Amino acid sequence: MKPATPKGTRDISPAEMVKRNFIFDTCSNAFQKYGYLQIETPAMENRDILSGKYGDEGDKLIFNILNSGDFLSKVPGESLGNAASKNLVKHISEKALRYDLTVPFARYVVQHQNDITFPFKRYQIQPVWRADRPQKGRYREFCQCDIDVIGSGSLLNELELLQIIEEVLSKLGLEGISIGINNRKILSGLAEKLGLEAQFEDMVIALDKMDKIGIEGVEKELVSRSIHKDSIDSILAYTKITDLKQLRSHLKGTAAEEGIDELEFILGQAHELKLKNVKFDASLARGLDYYTGVIIEVKSDKFPGSICAGGRYDDLTGLFGMKGLSGVGVSFGADRIFDLLEQENLFPEELSKGPTVLFVNFGEAEALYSLKLVSQLREDGISAELYPDPVKLKKQMSYANDRGVTYVALIGSDEITSGKFVLKNMETGEQAAITPEDLLSTLS
Amino acid sequence: MKPATPKGTRDISPAEMVKRNFIFDTCSNAFQKYGYLQIETPAMENRDILSGKYGDEGDKLIFNILNSGDFLSKVPGESLGNAASKNLVKHISEKALRYDLTVPFARYVVQHQNDITFPFKRYQIQPVWRADRPQKGRYREFCQCDIDVIGSGSLLNELELLQIIEEVLSKLGLEGISIGINNRKILSGLAEKLGLEAQFEDMVIALDKMDKIGIEGVEKELVSRSIHKDSIDSILAYTKITDLKQLRSHLKGTAAEEGIDELEFILGQAHELKLKNVKFDASLARGLDYYTGVIIEVKSDKFPGSICAGGRYDDLTGLFGMKGLSGVGVSFGADRIFDLLEQENLFPEELSKGPTVLFVNFGEAEALYSLKLVSQLREDGISAELYPDPVKLKKQMSYANDRGVTYVALIGSDEITSGKFVLKNMETGEQAAITPEDLLSTLS
């Protein structure tokens, strides 16, 4: 058997791990400073919780978990012999892996509503699983990094999310970012004006693909969804409007006006707070059907697709019977941000540094002598290592190199006797003969 | 539908989350200081990788993932109608959730052997899943926190692990800890001496249950495994020996001598390094069959069961075709350590602190004024929040209380005019009228 990870999944190596942690720590630190609280939910949810929440396409991508033990015992009498996979699932699988963090969060809020102080500001950084066709940059296990406020309808929440997005992306060193905002109410107003209320969802799903399939693709998609040519022209013309006043004059008397009010407030305040990347984008739609207000999508001019997105949903917890709890949130695409930082060479150099000192192992007595120094360094919080085996110096130096060690300490029996040993700086190649006391005082 | 987590799993609330992070951060910081590198592996492994690695009992506890799409299409012709669950699994499930971190780690090492610099010191903090019967303190999803060195047979690695264990547990504030060590070679020598080589595994499995079922339980278990009464008496007598010299005289000429040499070296050096909790424990056996040398188990006198355990394995990667790579590692039971710290009230108080300041929201104009102060505080790295809605003061103060906020700032329209506002210390109840500049200089 050739050992390998399952198709579409991958291991994270130490070098990747420190970079991922840099992203997660940057996010967490910002989230905490803004008063958001972390939660985690189990990898598995009951299938009832997840199914029907992501549309037909999404449902197919959910990983189901086979019931433990004699799972066939729950299959009704005749079902098995001529069973179809689709009908059998419910009998042999009660649980599934989470597909995103939003639905489990809605479940969490409803389940723990009596223990939560609202407005509840939470963040969550966990993997999700989707049985998508694996392709470059798209995995079957990937990490989401979500931040939501639930139980407050105030636009100050949207504003705060925009502040957090700017802060996180700037701390990550990213430039060429645009934070597009739009409002589902404007899209509703547009549908209202064009008499397309019944096809609102078709319109949103088609528009959401603009990035991937271009304006012509969207046009085709709208045609295929039986929207009239004139309406399509109007839709596409509206999505090019950049001026909210102009949009208001066109959509007077529709639901769009409220959406425009909201965007004007947010854009005005974003300006006051010097959030320089926030821009109105009339073509923004977001595919998920639970959004009801402001929608947000963050792009980089150096990278296709969005690196962060979200919006306001007025009734997500309604899915689980708790009505009227408005929320708003965004999700940072940690894996995409990783790829972008890697591509632009933006990860801080110090992330790839190894331990400060490696002590070469010349034999048991020398190693035990060095071990005491290593322990003292560690007590002072300095990362230090003793090579565990007395192998050839060349091999130990090559290990030091691969690990990105800053200094190598060479303590043989002569050095123990003389009380002085060589400390080699692996970056500059410089060497100096020093005492153990020198070492501790230099590095501490 | 009542929203609930699947049986045996649970959500982690914000209050629990900060405590868990305290444990993980303490572990990670120590691991890094000792030069260990973090990796992660996917939640799913190919079923072949996992099955047969945990014994019959373990195999049954693995969660299998149903193949996506038309999973029945791979079931051979007649199999389905009269299928047994046990035989059907391999046709409808290719992947499973990881059961521990050790087997995936072995798979990782073999798969990436050409990219790894040995000795490879790695740590890994990830959840694992077991379809165990849920009970108090035992969950179907729980977190393991593993640290291993692979590719070095030196006992300095065992010594280092003992140092790390002492450091982590002491940083967590735990007292009353004992770090028991034994050696599988001693148990082998004992089996050799008693002519029980063929029943070595039975002996180990029975002895491993000492904590749970007591000495009489172990006796019964050994009887049920067809070990002769005289041998049982001898085994139990040996496990009570506390002196290595005495043990050596009894087990002269067997494999035990090498094991005793190793323990003498480690105990001697542990003494030199002032590791005060390390003790020889002849009754220690460890249930897993891949251990071949030193074994370690850490207990608290305030808590049943072990909170950290591990040992040396000479050929774990041999499972995947890479022979002769010796390794040693331990696993910290993060959930048990959590329960123990909670029980002993040892989590630092500052963990439950909320944001430093909450600004009360008296209306749009006041809120926007406060928002600028909030933003300035955050720029200085101070966690601050503005309540998003202009609701009743009582509700906002109650929110501040629940969130564990240190200060509340009350800025109404009069305060904006006068340039002074009230800052209330929620811990002492003290109030002071201050200017925005005072606020920034006091808290920054």
Side-chain angles (χ1 to χ4, degrees):
Chain A
M1 172 197 2
K2 196 166 166 274
T5 52
K7 195 172 65 164
T9 67
R10 84 276 205 211
D11 293 318
I12 316 286
S13 73
E16 290 159 343
M17 205 66 221
V18 288
K19 293 174 178 172
R20 283 169 71 87
N21 285 342
F22 169 68
I23 296 173
F24 295 139
D25 291 347
T26 304
C27 288
S28 301
N29 288 339
F31 300 163
Q32 285 169 20
K33 209 171 64 179
Y34 282 77
Y36 288 74
L37 303 169
Q38 190 177 12
I39 67 162
E40 284 187 359
T41 62
M44 304 175 191
E45 292 280 347
N46 289 320
R47 280 187 63 249
D48 294 349
I49 297 286
L50 303 185
S51 59
K53 307 301 187 301
Y54 305 104
D56 285 351
E57 285 307 304
D59 262 12
K60 283 185 202 147
L61 303 184
I62 292 174
F63 281 109
N64 294 305
I65 293 166
L66 197 57
N67 292 343
S68 304
D70 185 13
F71 56 86
L72 287 177
S73 64
K74 286 192 185 168
V75 179
E78 310 95 70
S79 308
L80 194 57
N82 48 7
S85 297
K86 207 182 153 189
N87 305 326
L88 194 59
V89 176
K90 61 178 175 294
H91 300 299
I92 63 175
S93 164
E94 281 167 6
K95 294 181 287 288
L97 292 180
R98 75 177 155 247
Y99 176 90
D100 71 0
L101 301 180
T102 309
V103 170
F105 173 54
R107 194 265 309 143
Y108 179 100
V109 169
V110 179
Q111 185 175 340
H112 304 285
Q113 54 185 287
N114 297 325
D115 305 317
I116 294 173
T117 305
F118 294 98
F120 182 38
K121 303 167 78 167
R122 87 88 173 75
Y123 75 95
Q124 190 170 351
I125 300 175
Q126 291 194 277
V128 301
W129 294 270
R130 295 183 187 179
D132 243 322
R133 201 164 50 86
Q135 47 186 284
K136 190 180 175 300
R138 188 189 289 175
Y139 298 97
R140 290 183 157 189
E141 172 180 79
F142 60 97
C143 202
Q144 287 194 337
C145 188
D146 276 26
I147 169 166
D148 288 79
V149 192
I150 197 157
S152 162
S154 166
L155 294 170
L156 292 174
N157 298 302
E158 275 85 341
L159 199 55
E160 184 166 277
L161 290 175
L162 295 171
Q163 284 185 289
I164 292 174
I165 293 170
E166 285 243 356
E167 175 161 340
V168 165
L169 299 182
S170 132
K171 289 247 158 94
L172 291 173
L174 284 170
E175 290 178 1
I177 293 298
S178 76
I179 306 175
I181 61 171
N182 194 7
N183 200 314
R184 274 288 174 90
K185 291 171 188 169
I186 297 178
L187 294 169
S188 293
L190 177 58
E192 197 183 325
K193 164 127 181 165
L194 301 174
L196 292 173
E197 287 96 333
Q199 283 164 297
F200 179 69
E201 219 169 292
D202 289 315
M203 188 177 102
V204 163
I205 288 173
L207 283 177
D208 188 46
K209 297 185 180 168
M210 190 76 83
D211 269 355
K212 279 183 205 145
I213 59 180
I215 198 153
E216 284 164 30
V218 173
E219 205 172 335
K220 265 189 212 159
E221 173 103 15
L222 288 167
V223 170
S224 80
R225 289 172 181 266
S226 319
I227 295 181
H228 193 273
K229 179 79 177 66
D230 292 348
S231 298
I232 293 177
D233 290 344
S234 297
I235 292 170
L236 295 177
Y238 277 105
T239 61
K240 285 177 193 146
I241 295 176
T242 56
D243 181 48
L244 282 172
K245 286 205 186 66
Q246 193 190 339
L247 198 63
R248 189 189 291 274
S249 71
H250 286 301
L251 297 175
K252 246 195 169 34
T254 70
E257 290 209 81
E258 195 179 309
I260 293 168
D261 289 343
E262 293 179 1
L263 290 189
E264 280 175 348
F265 173 82
I266 291 171
L267 288 164
Q269 291 308 318
H271 181 76
E272 289 284 315
L273 291 168
K274 304 191 171 54
L275 303 180
K276 57 185 193 304
N277 299 314
V278 183
K279 288 179 192 73
F280 167 58
D281 176 357
S283 73
L284 196 62
R286 302 293 305 137
L288 289 166
D289 61 3
Y290 48 69
Y291 291 123
T292 50
V294 172
I295 46 182
I296 302 169
E297 198 166 284
V298 185
K299 289 173 198 158
S300 157
D301 59 15
K302 302 182 179 66
F303 207 72
S306 70
I307 54 174
C308 175
R312 178 167 291 277
Y313 40 86
D314 272 344
D315 197 24
L316 194 62
T317 53
L319 290 172
F320 304 113
M322 192 179 177
K323 295 279 175 198
L325 206 57
S326 185
V328 59
V330 294
S331 180
F332 288 82
D335 294 82
R336 287 193 176 189
I337 291 174
F338 182 98
D339 290 345
L340 174 56
L341 291 173
E342 196 75 301
Q343 172 189 306
E344 298 296 309
N345 204 12
L346 287 172
F347 283 111
E349 243 178 66
E350 66 261 30
L351 292 183
S352 52
K353 277 209 175 165
T356 309
V357 203
L358 177 84
F359 287 74
V360 170
N361 186 331
F362 288 106
E364 188 173 305
E366 294 87 342
L368 292 175
Y369 178 91
S370 296
L371 190 56
K372 291 196 180 145
L373 281 174
V374 170
S375 301
Q376 282 176 52
L377 285 170
R378 286 173 180 157
E379 267 173 40
D380 292 340
I382 293 162
S383 64
E385 272 189 72
L386 166 64
Y387 196 91
D389 303 277
V391 295
K392 281 191 183 138
L393 182 59
K394 199 178 157 196
K395 192 176 174 198
Q396 298 191 48
M397 293 306 278
S398 146
Y399 175 87
N401 234 346
D402 285 346
R403 289 294 310 278
V405 165
T406 312
Y407 297 99
V408 169
L410 298 117
I411 308 188
S413 56
D414 290 353
E415 283 75 17
I416 297 177
T417 314
S418 73
K420 280 207 162 191
F421 62 90
V422 167
L423 185 72
K424 178 170 179 173
N425 184 322
M426 296 292 280
E427 283 158 14
T428 63
E430 281 171 57
Q431 302 197 161
I434 62 168
T435 65
E437 292 70 33
D438 292 339
L439 178 75
L440 295 170
S441 63
T442 311
L443 300 181
S444 298
Chain B
M1 172 197 2
K2 199 168 164 274
T5 52
K7 196 172 64 166
T9 68
R10 83 278 204 209
D11 293 318
I12 316 285
S13 73
E16 290 159 344
M17 205 66 221
V18 288
K19 292 175 180 173
R20 283 169 70 88
N21 285 341
F22 168 69
I23 296 173
F24 295 140
D25 291 347
T26 304
C27 289
S28 301
N29 288 339
F31 300 164
Q32 286 169 21
K33 208 171 64 182
Y34 282 78
Y36 289 74
L37 303 169
Q38 191 177 10
I39 67 161
E40 285 187 359
T41 62
M44 304 175 190
E45 292 281 347
N46 289 320
R47 280 187 63 249
D48 295 350
I49 297 286
L50 303 185
S51 58
K53 308 300 188 300
Y54 305 104
D56 285 350
E57 286 306 305
D59 263 12
K60 284 185 201 146
L61 303 184
I62 293 174
F63 280 109
N64 295 305
I65 293 167
L66 199 56
N67 292 343
S68 304
D70 185 11
F71 56 87
L72 287 177
S73 63
K74 288 192 183 166
V75 179
E78 311 95 69
S79 306
L80 193 57
N82 48 8
S85 298
K86 208 182 152 188
N87 305 327
L88 194 58
V89 177
K90 61 177 175 296
H91 300 299
I92 63 174
S93 164
E94 282 167 5
K95 294 182 287 289
L97 292 179
R98 75 176 154 250
Y99 177 90
D100 70 0
L101 302 180
T102 309
V103 170
F105 173 54
R107 194 264 310 141
Y108 179 101
V109 169
V110 179
Q111 184 175 341
H112 304 286
Q113 53 185 288
N114 297 326
D115 305 317
I116 293 173
T117 305
F118 293 100
F120 182 40
K121 303 167 77 167
R122 89 86 172 76
Y123 75 94
Q124 190 170 352
I125 301 176
Q126 291 193 279
V128 300
W129 295 271
R130 295 183 187 180
D132 242 322
R133 202 164 50 86
Q135 47 186 281
K136 192 181 175 300
R138 188 189 291 175
Y139 298 98
R140 291 182 156 189
E141 172 180 78
F142 59 97
C143 203
Q144 286 193 338
C145 188
D146 276 26
I147 168 166
D148 287 79
V149 192
I150 197 157
S152 162
S154 165
L155 293 172
L156 292 174
N157 298 302
E158 274 87 340
L159 199 56
E160 184 165 276
L161 291 175
L162 296 172
Q163 284 185 288
I164 293 173
I165 294 170
E166 285 244 358
E167 175 161 340
V168 165
L169 300 182
S170 133
K171 288 249 158 93
L172 291 173
L174 284 171
E175 289 178 0
I177 293 300
S178 76
I179 305 176
I181 61 171
N182 195 8
N183 199 314
R184 274 287 175 90
K185 292 170 187 169
I186 297 178
L187 294 168
S188 293
L190 178 57
E192 197 184 327
K193 163 125 182 167
L194 300 175
L196 292 174
E197 286 96 333
Q199 281 164 298
F200 179 69
E201 219 169 292
D202 289 316
M203 187 177 103
V204 163
I205 290 173
L207 282 178
D208 187 47
K209 297 184 179 168
M210 190 76 84
D211 269 356
K212 282 183 202 143
I213 59 179
I215 198 154
E216 282 164 31
V218 172
E219 205 173 334
K220 265 190 212 158
E221 174 103 16
L222 288 167
V223 170
S224 80
R225 289 172 182 266
S226 317
I227 296 181
H228 194 273
K229 180 78 178 67
D230 292 346
S231 298
I232 294 176
D233 290 345
S234 297
I235 293 170
L236 296 177
Y238 277 105
T239 61
K240 285 179 193 146
I241 294 176
T242 55
D243 181 50
L244 281 172
K245 286 204 186 70
Q246 194 190 339
L247 199 62
R248 188 188 292 274
S249 71
H250 287 300
L251 297 174
K252 244 194 168 43
T254 70
E257 288 206 84
E258 194 179 310
I260 293 169
D261 290 343
E262 293 178 1
L263 290 188
E264 279 176 347
F265 173 82
I266 291 169
L267 288 164
Q269 291 308 319
H271 182 76
E272 288 285 314
L273 291 168
K274 302 191 174 52
L275 303 180
K276 57 187 194 303
N277 300 313
V278 182
K279 287 179 192 73
F280 167 59
D281 176 357
S283 73
L284 197 61
R286 302 293 305 140
L288 289 166
D289 59 3
Y290 48 70
Y291 291 123
T292 49
V294 171
I295 46 181
I296 301 170
E297 198 167 284
V298 185
K299 289 173 199 158
S300 157
D301 59 14
K302 302 181 179 67
F303 208 71
S306 70
I307 53 174
C308 174
R312 177 167 291 277
Y313 40 86
D314 272 344
D315 196 26
L316 195 62
T317 55
L319 290 172
F320 304 113
M322 192 179 177
K323 294 280 175 199
L325 206 58
S326 185
V328 58
V330 295
S331 180
F332 288 81
D335 294 82
R336 286 193 179 189
I337 291 174
F338 182 99
D339 290 344
L340 174 56
L341 290 173
E342 196 74 301
Q343 173 189 304
E344 298 297 308
N345 206 12
L346 287 172
F347 284 111
E349 243 178 68
E350 65 261 29
L351 293 182
S352 51
K353 276 209 177 166
T356 309
V357 203
L358 177 85
F359 286 74
V360 171
N361 186 331
F362 287 107
E364 188 173 303
E366 295 87 342
L368 292 175
Y369 178 92
S370 296
L371 190 56
K372 292 198 178 143
L373 281 174
V374 170
S375 300
Q376 284 177 50
L377 285 170
R378 286 175 182 155
E379 268 173 38
D380 293 340
I382 293 161
S383 63
E385 272 188 74
L386 165 64
Y387 195 91
D389 304 276
V391 296
K392 282 192 184 138
L393 181 60
K394 201 180 154 192
K395 193 176 173 197
Q396 298 190 48
M397 294 305 279
S398 146
Y399 175 87
N401 233 344
D402 285 348
R403 289 293 311 277
V405 165
T406 312
Y407 297 100
V408 169
L410 299 118
I411 308 187
S413 55
D414 291 354
E415 283 74 16
I416 297 178
T417 316
S418 74
K420 282 209 160 188
F421 62 88
V422 167
L423 186 73
K424 180 172 176 172
N425 184 320
M426 296 292 280
E427 282 160 13
T428 64
E430 280 171 59
Q431 302 196 161
I434 62 167
T435 65
E437 292 71 34
D438 292 338
L439 178 74
L440 294 171
S441 63
T442 311
L443 298 181
S444 298

